[in-house]
Amino acid sequence: DAKSLIMSQLPPFMEDNNNGHIIITSSIAGHLSYPNMGVYNASKHAVLSIAETLCYELQETTYLLWLDQAID
């Protein structure tokens, strides 16, 4: 999937260039579950998990990670 491909290649690219910002757009559905939207809720939870993991992985760097969670 495109997000996992980008997330695996983006940090090394940023490291090579010594610069970078990551902006991840998700949904409040990553925290809340709406009825009849199981797949959507799960995909937004996965995006939240990727962002949280990147925070840990990039904490020793100077890169900025921004997570925007829109209210659906």
Side-chain angles (χ1 to χ4, degrees):
D1 123 287
K3 285 184 181 176
S4 62
L5 180 63
I6 290 170
M7 299 288 50
S8 68
Q9 295 183 1
L10 191 58
F13 176 79
M14 291 175 11
E15 186 174 333
D16 290 346
N17 291 289
N18 200 29
N19 189 9
H21 296 80
I22 300 173
I23 301 171
I24 299 175
T25 303
S26 186
S27 166
I28 196 68
H31 293 283
L32 304 173
S33 294
Y34 297 109
N36 304 316
M37 297 181 68
V39 173
Y40 180 81
N41 295 336
S43 70
K44 298 311 164 190
H45 182 76
V47 171
L48 179 62
S49 181
I50 289 170
E52 185 176 323
T53 300
L54 277 173
C55 282
Y56 289 116
E57 292 175 355
L58 299 176
Q59 69 184 359
E60 301 292 324
T61 70
T62 59
Y63 310 131
L64 175 66
L65 175 67
W66 179 265
L67 176 62
D68 178 29
Q69 294 182 313
I71 298 175
D72 297 332

